Amino acid sequence: ITALAPELIILPGKMEKLSALAEQNHFKVLNAHMDDLKTIHDSIRAIGGALNSMPQAEALCKKIDDDLAAVRNAVKDEPRANVLIINSRQGHDLNNLFTVGRMSFVSELTDIAGGDNIFNDTDKPYFEASKESVVARAPEVIIEFHSGENISTEEQARYVADWSELDGVPAVRNKRIYLFLETYGLRPGPRIGLIAARIATLLHPKVSIQIL
């Protein structure tokens, strides 16, 4: 990095070692922390300003807003569903269920897509939930993110089958467990309209949404 002598370093949040290196070498640093809809827009505008590209940044923000409005409009007459969002689960048990609270952009996108995050009353953006709390909140749909993971069809079926342990949960009983495999699924940024559209089609299979 020092040899390349960048005019600007863009960091996704605080990175102490890289920030210290930048300070030592008098490199300009822009912290672009994106984890909810507001900070995604703010960071795009900040990057646009730093690169003297504000018209492009504003156009990108408008496209994001238009995409999300299209999703919201497509599902406005559909019945809402209570949703459990699993953002990380590597093993084939239900002992480590990592989910999201209302401060996460995934929870915001689920709301736009016509669903209600069952942990929307939790301020933490990411945390570990117990099986007991999932049973008590009775989600009607479970969306489990394995974004960008190269998992076989058989492995996907295993992840779904794991939930049979909680057969009293409506989502399990009604076979409404979905895996989100697309690589962009947990990436806050310009493609959040695609994430919202994908969630919307999982919650409301009859809805058709076109996001380019």
Side-chain angles (χ1 to χ4, degrees):
I1 292 173
T2 304
L4 290 170
E7 295 177 61
L8 176 67
I9 298 176
I10 301 174
L11 300 179
K14 302 290 184 183
M15 299 175 69
E16 292 183 7
K17 289 185 179 180
L18 199 48
S19 295
L21 175 69
E23 187 175 352
Q24 272 183 347
N25 292 276
H26 307 291
F27 298 148
K28 184 179 178 182
V29 172
L30 172 63
N31 293 104
H33 177 66
M34 302 185 186
D35 205 27
D36 58 30
L37 298 187
K38 182 180 184 304
T39 54
I40 289 169
H41 283 69
D42 289 348
S43 293
I44 289 171
R45 290 187 172 104
I47 293 169
L51 301 178
N52 296 315
S53 300
M54 279 307 296
Q56 293 92 327
E58 290 296 345
L60 184 53
C61 287
K62 183 180 185 305
K63 183 182 186 310
I64 291 172
D65 291 339
D66 289 347
D67 288 346
L68 296 179
V71 174
R72 189 182 285 110
N73 185 63
V75 301
K76 62 181 172 48
D77 296 324
E78 298 294 323
R80 298 183 69 84
N82 292 324
V83 185
L84 169 63
I85 302 158
I86 298 295
N87 66 308
S88 177
R89 184 168 74 92
Q90 297 301 323
H92 283 287
D93 57 51
L94 303 181
N95 295 325
N96 301 107
L97 299 175
F98 293 96
T99 186
V100 303
R102 66 183 179 85
M103 304 298 287
S104 166
F105 78 99
V106 182
S107 186
E108 292 179 291
L109 297 181
T110 300
D111 176 70
I112 290 169
D116 298 310
N117 176 10
I118 63 170
F119 290 109
N120 225 19
D121 57 348
T122 303
D123 286 337
K124 295 178 182 177
Y126 306 100
F127 64 98
E128 187 174 356
S130 67
K131 289 185 286 189
E132 291 77 14
S133 65
V134 170
V135 171
R137 294 179 184 235
E140 298 166 285
V141 177
I142 296 171
I143 299 177
E144 186 169 323
F145 284 79
H146 291 273
S147 296
E149 296 178 27
N150 186 21
I151 53 178
S152 66
T153 303
E154 293 77 13
E155 188 75 352
Q156 292 175 41
R158 282 189 67 195
Y159 276 116
V160 172
D162 294 339
W163 289 96
S164 62
E165 178 182 343
L166 303 183
D167 57 4
V169 170
V172 179
R173 191 168 59 245
N174 296 321
K175 302 186 187 315
R176 297 207 66 192
I177 302 165
Y178 306 111
L179 303 187
F180 196 122
L181 303 176
E182 286 80 0
T183 57
Y184 54 80
L186 291 174
R187 294 184 180 178
R191 291 183 289 180
I192 56 174
L194 290 174
I195 302 171
R198 178 67 177 140
I199 293 173
T201 56
L202 295 175
L203 299 180
H204 312 290
K206 295 180 181 179
V207 168
S208 177
I209 306 170
Q210 288 288 343
I211 301 291
L212 301 177

